[in-house]
Amino acid sequence: MSQNGKRGKTPVDFWFDPLCPWAWMTSRWMLEVEKVRDVEVRWHVMSLAVLNEDKLDELPEQYREGLKQAWGPVRVVIAAQQKHGDEILGDLYTALGTRFHNRGEGNTREGIVAALEEVGLPAELIEYADSDTYDTELRASHKEGIDKVGQEVGTPVIAVPGADGEQIAFFGPVVTPAPKGEEAAKLWDGTLMVASIPGFYEIKRTRTQGPIFD
C-alpha cells in the first residue's frame, strides 16, 4: 500500500471485526489520534470467525456459539464495502460498534439494519449476513492483516510506518478506556517510536479490567 495518505497525512491501516470490544476501544483511540496528529485511518475488515475456524474444537462451547454468530456482522460490512466502496467502512463500523458496545444492544439483525440506515446504506444489505457471497473478499482482507502481523494474534491489527518507511504491524494496542486528547497523542507517539526500533516485537501485561465504553 502507498505510504502517502490523503493530503500528505500519515496512513494507518486498521483491521477490525465489529464484534470485538477490544478492537472497538483501539478504534476509538485512533479516531482521537486523527484529531491531534496528522493521521489518516484506513479501515479494513478481519474476522474472529475466520481467525478461529481451525481452533473450534479447542474452544469452550459458549465461545464456539459466539463465533457462529460472528459471521453475520462482518459479512454485512464486507458486502457494504464491495458494493459501496471503502469510504463507508469507518462510518458503518462506528454505527455498528456504538450499538454493539456502547449501547449494549448485542448482535441483532434489527441493530445491523438500523446501523445501515443510519449511514445511508440500503437495509437490504442485511441479507448478506447469512450469505457467503463475499467470503472470498472477506478472507482476503483478513489475510492481508494477518500476513502483516503474523499468526497467533487477534483483532485489532494496526499497521504504521516503521523506521525505513515500510509498514510495521502490531496487534493492539489493547487499552481501556480509549485515551483522549494528549493521552491519545502520547500513545500514538509511543507506537511510532517502538515501530521505529528494528527487532521490537512485544510489550504485554495481564489485563485486569474489561473494556470501558464511553
Side-chain angles (χ1 to χ4, degrees), residues 189-208:
D189 294 343
T191 301
L192 289 184
M193 185 273 289
V194 297
S196 74
I197 307 300
F200 174 83
Y201 290 100
E202 183 177 16
I203 293 176
K204 188 172 184 179
R205 63 175 176 161
T206 299
R207 290 196 300 264
T208 58

Side-chain angles (χ1 to χ4, degrees), residues 17-38:
D17 183 307
L19 282 183
C20 177
W22 294 107
W24 179 247
M25 292 283 92
T26 309
S27 72
R28 299 311 93 181
W29 162 65
M30 279 309 314
L31 291 183
E32 284 292 312
V33 174
E34 283 191 321
K35 299 175 184 177
V36 295
R37 293 290 186 268
D38 204 18

Side-chain angles (χ1 to χ4, degrees), residues 89-147:
L89 281 180
D91 289 343
L92 180 55
Y93 181 25
T94 291
L96 287 168
T98 299
R99 287 168 171 79
F100 292 162
H101 306 299
N102 293 61
R103 299 181 188 172
E105 295 177 6
N107 175 14
T108 67
R109 292 177 71 89
E110 293 79 11
I112 297 172
V113 168
L116 289 167
E117 292 177 338
E118 178 182 327
V119 298
L121 292 172
E124 290 76 15
L125 285 169
I126 189 62
E127 301 305 322
Y128 289 97
D130 302 313
S131 169
D132 63 2
T133 301
Y134 293 111
D135 278 11
T136 297
E137 291 80 3
L138 171 60
R139 291 177 182 278
S141 180
H142 177 91
K143 183 177 184 297
E144 182 184 17
I146 290 296
D147 283 352

Side-chain angles (χ1 to χ4, degrees), residues 61-81:
E61 176 64 25
Q62 183 177 3
Y63 195 72
R64 290 201 301 270
E65 287 302 313
L67 289 174
K68 291 178 184 177
Q69 302 303 316
W71 283 103
V74 77
R75 279 173 163 168
V76 171
V77 172
I78 197 70
Q81 178 197 33

